[in-house]
């Protein structure tokens, strides 16, 4: 063999799960440049070893394809961690107020306080439905705006000063698709705004330099979790996020395969929005970074009472006995928007949590398809908290990808009973279908929706997809489980899928959703060398222990971009 065919890197003596069509498991991988050149037994790759080849003895550890998070919000919580009050991991009103008070004391002279992470389950009575009141924050900060985003991002808790500087009064009407909560007796502002009403509130302002710092930190976090590709969902701050990604690439620092999704809003002119997207697609286009997708909201979230349901919410939701939530689009306009997107070759990606919303989205996609010539659009519906069983086969018929967040597919302590079950009743026992999609041959692409999921570790989601039970109990302040059939947090075990199906949902299926399956997503000769080394074999350990497994190395395009440094993990041999 000539020198030109020797590998740069050979990983051997491992469990290499390829995620190919046959679920092949091998021992070794050979890499040259940015490509995989051989996958097979230790003996088969030996012929690619030259004197300059770096050999890595995996010592039985696992190799999987680079992971892909197909619905994520960069820079995640990086900006929040740097500049805002952190509410993640707190589940009480007192805890939130203590955190805000501490932040104000630590930042004297601050002109506004922003934060994220409060949970609906922390509140009772009317506040469990409307959201927390402004008076709690007024007592701490009467003279500066305090604006706190819920964990799900769909509701903001604000004080009186924030409402005043935003020009929101008791006479303000809720915008289409939004809610300005008011006291049902006095009509006074309550202190919570939801969905599109969020846009009325004064927004945080960060510089391009701050975004660049945050995007760089985001990329490092992704590498530490084995993630090498993302669908970047962009909303209010699209332009500056695009500029930050572009800066990283211009500096030759981009080491993720990024596809971008741009929001399309029902209240704005459709054609002008798509013309704006056309310009952005031309301005930001490279092998690693492209805008491919139009993002839509069909409804809100169950916890905010803004999901659109086929059957009414429970009376405990505080909206009466005949409240279904709302659909955010006029159907004719939505069909027109879908046509405009697919005509341009753009993928459609729709937020839909309620079963009625998902049915209408499928109706609109079907109508659009009837008007268009056939194309490879890979249209996607994401979240899918409630889906009527009659609508699941329609995903296959319409070639729609099911974008799921398995991190949420269990009965969360202090959440499921207090929020989902209270609002949905018995329907909550059947939320978040997974196996139902797989059995119909519908591709599932898993993602975190980070920062809604505060720790976007795909191994957590892989465990939950397999067990439909809690992962890492200490994160939730409870004892960890040792048996996947432990009933306390188990959510509909009939929806469990296999370990390989979950890995594929983060690899080849994610690559398919991003239109990059021809170059990555599986470990096959000729594909890009996006690889992850795990300290244990996920196929052989107890599924409840998957969350404890650590990423040892991450390779992007043949380059080592992350190595776990902590002692005790066991260094791989050469």
């Amino acid at each position: 063999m000539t020198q030109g065919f020797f590998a740069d890197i050979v990983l051997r003596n491992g469990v290499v799960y390829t995620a190919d069509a046959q679920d092949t498991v091998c021992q070794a991988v050979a890499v040259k440049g940015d490509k995989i050149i051989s996958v097979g037994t230790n003996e088969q790759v030996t012929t690619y070893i030259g004197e300059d080849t770096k050999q890595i003895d995996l010592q039985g550890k696992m190799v999987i394809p680079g992971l892909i998070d197909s619905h994520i919000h960069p820079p995640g919580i990086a900006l929040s961690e740097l500049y805002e009050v952190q509410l993640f991991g707190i589940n009480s009103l007192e805890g939130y107020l203590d955190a805000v008070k501490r932040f104000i004391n630590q930042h004297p002279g601050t002109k506004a306080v922003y934060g994220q992470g409060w949970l609906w389950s922390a509140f009772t009575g009317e506040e469990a439905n409307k959201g927390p009141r402004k008076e709690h924050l007024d007592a701490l900060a009467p003279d500066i705006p305090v604006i706190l985003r819920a964990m799900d991002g769909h509701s903001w808790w604000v004080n009186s000063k924030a409402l005043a500087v935003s020009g929101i009064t008791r006479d303000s009407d809720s915008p289409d698709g939004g809610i300005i909560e008011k006291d049902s007796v006095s009509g006074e502002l309550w202190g919570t705004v939801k969905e599109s009403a969020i846009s009325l509130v004064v927004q945080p302002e960060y510089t391009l330099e701050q975004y660049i710092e945050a995007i760089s930190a985001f990329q490092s976090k992704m590498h530490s979790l084995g993630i090498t590709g993302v669908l970047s969902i962009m909303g209010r701050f699209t332009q500056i996020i695009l500029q930050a990604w572009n800066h990283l690439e211009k500096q030759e620092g981009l080491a993720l395969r990024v596809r971008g999704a741009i929001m399309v809003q029902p209240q704005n002119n459709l054609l002008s929005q798509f013309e704006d997207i056309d310009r952005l697609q031309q301005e930001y286009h490279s092998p690693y970074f492209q805008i491919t997708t139009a993002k839509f909201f069909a409804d809100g979230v169950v916890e905010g009472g803004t999901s659109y349901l086929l059957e009414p919410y429970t009376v405990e939701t505080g909206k009466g006995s005949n409240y279904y939530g709302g659909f955010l689009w006029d159907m004719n306009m939505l069909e027109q928007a879908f046509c405009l997107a697919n005509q341009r070759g753009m993928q459609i990606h729709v937020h839909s949590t309620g079963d009625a919303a998902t049915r209408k989205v499928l109706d609109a996609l079907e109508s659009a398809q009837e008007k268009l010539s056939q194309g490879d659009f890979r249209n996607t519906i994401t979240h899918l908290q409630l889906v009527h069983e009659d609508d699941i086969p329609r995903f296959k018929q319409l070639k729609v990808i099911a974008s799921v967040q398995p991190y949420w597919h269990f009965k969360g302590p202090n959440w499921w009973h207090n929020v989902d079950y209270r609002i949905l009743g018995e329907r909550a026992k059947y939320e978040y279908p997974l196996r139902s999609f797989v059995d119909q041959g519908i591709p599932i692409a898993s993602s975190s929706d980070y920062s809604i999921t505060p720790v976007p570790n795909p191994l957590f989601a892989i465990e939950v997809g397999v067990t439909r039970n809690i992962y890492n109990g200490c994160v939730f302040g409870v004892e960890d489980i040792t048996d996947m059939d432990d009933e306390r947090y188990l959510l509909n075990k009939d929806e469990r899928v296999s370990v390989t199906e979950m890995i594929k949902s983060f690899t080849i299926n994610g690559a398919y959703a991003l239109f990059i399956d021809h170059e990555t997503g599986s470990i096959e000769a000729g594909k890009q060398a996006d690889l992850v080394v795990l300290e244990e074999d996920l196929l052989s350990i107890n599924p409840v222990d998957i969350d404890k497994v650590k990423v040892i190395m991450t390779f992007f395009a043949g380059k080592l971009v992350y190595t776990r440094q902590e002692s005790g993990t066991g260094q791989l041999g050469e």
Side-chain angles (χ1 to χ4, degrees), residues 5-13 27-32 37-38 41-42 44-50 52-58 531 555 573-574:
F5 284 92
F6 288 133
D8 296 323
I9 305 169
V10 166
L11 297 92
R12 54 187 175 80
N13 294 327
Q27 291 178 303
V29 186
V31 174
K32 184 171 183 60
I37 58 172
S38 179
T41 64
N42 290 328
Q44 286 171 327
V45 302
T46 299
T47 57
Y48 294 93
I49 297 175
D52 295 325
T53 301
K54 178 180 177 62
Q55 299 184 57
I56 299 175
D57 183 357
L58 294 167
L531 306 168
F555 293 86
E574 294 188 16

Side-chain angles (χ1 to χ4, degrees), residues 87 89-96 119-123 413-415 418:
L87 305 179
I90 304 171
N91 192 35
S92 69
L93 171 62
E94 294 75 17
Y96 299 143
L119 295 169
W120 283 93
S121 55
F123 301 97
N414 305 314
W415 178 271
N418 296 335

Side-chain angles (χ1 to χ4, degrees), residues 285-428:
H285 186 90
S286 69
Y288 288 171
F289 182 67
Q290 299 172 24
I291 297 168
T292 56
T293 305
K295 167 72 186 302
F296 300 81
F297 277 95
D299 65 350
V301 290
V302 164
E303 56 269 28
T306 52
S307 292
Y308 185 44
L309 308 183
L310 289 171
E311 299 296 329
Y313 283 79
T314 63
V315 294
E316 287 78 12
T317 310
K319 303 282 189 179
S321 60
N322 199 38
Y323 176 71
Y324 295 82
F327 194 66
L328 297 180
W329 284 79
D330 168 81
M331 280 297 284
N332 289 331
M333 179 179 274
L334 185 61
E335 291 168 14
Q336 181 185 356
F338 285 176
C339 285
L340 285 168
N342 282 169
Q343 281 170 349
R344 285 167 158 73
M346 294 195 74
Q347 179 187 48
I348 293 164
H349 190 101
V350 188
H351 165 117
S352 181
T353 57
D355 44 10
T358 295
R359 178 166 292 179
K360 278 184 168 289
V361 171
L362 290 168
D363 290 345
L365 287 170
E366 184 173 5
S367 177
Q369 286 189 16
E370 291 171 354
K371 296 179 174 69
L372 297 171
S373 57
Q374 290 294 313
D376 183 19
F377 303 123
R378 308 188 191 184
N379 296 326
T380 301
I381 305 177
T382 190
H383 305 322
L384 301 166
Q385 186 166 354
L386 292 179
V387 185
H388 194 282
E389 61 182 3
D390 292 347
D391 289 320
I392 289 178
R394 299 179 67 196
F395 282 72
K396 181 69 175 292
Q397 295 160 11
L398 298 170
K399 298 180 181 179
V400 175
I401 298 168
S403 168
V404 294
Q405 292 74 41
Y407 300 85
W408 312 338
H409 294 192
F410 66 96
K411 295 179 180 177
N414 305 314
W415 178 271
W416 188 84
H417 288 282
N418 296 335
V419 180
D420 290 3
Y421 190 79
R422 177 179 61 83
I423 289 172
L424 298 174
E426 290 297 297
R427 288 168 293 185

Side-chain angles (χ1 to χ4, degrees), residues 154-183:
H154 287 254
S155 300
W156 288 19
W157 174 20
V158 296
N159 68 348
S160 295
K161 187 67 173 180
L163 290 165
V165 299
S166 302
I168 301 173
T169 71
R170 61 176 292 161
D171 297 322
S172 298
D173 294 326
S174 295
D176 290 342
I179 299 172
I180 300 170
E181 290 288 2
K182 299 176 183 178
D183 189 290

Side-chain angles (χ1 to χ4, degrees), residues 515-544:
F515 295 89
I516 55 175
D517 49 308
H518 60 288
E519 57 182 308
T520 190
S522 58
I523 302 175
E524 299 180 80
K527 283 196 168 183
Q528 290 281 300
D530 298 346
L531 306 168
V532 182
V533 180
L534 303 175
E535 67 176 348
E536 294 191 59
D537 174 12
L538 304 187
L539 303 177
S540 63
I541 64 174
N542 186 332
V544 300

Side-chain angles (χ1 to χ4, degrees), residues 220-242:
S220 295
K221 181 186 286 287
M222 294 300 102
H223 290 160
S224 74
L225 299 172
I227 295 170
T228 56
V230 299
L231 178 64
S232 175
I233 308 290
M234 290 172 280
R236 288 182 295 275
F237 307 107
T238 295
Q239 190 65 51
I240 198 167
I241 292 172
L242 288 172

Side-chain angles (χ1 to χ4, degrees), residues 135 138 218 303 312 445 484:
E135 286 80 8
D138 290 346
F218 169 86
E303 56 269 28
M484 64 191 287

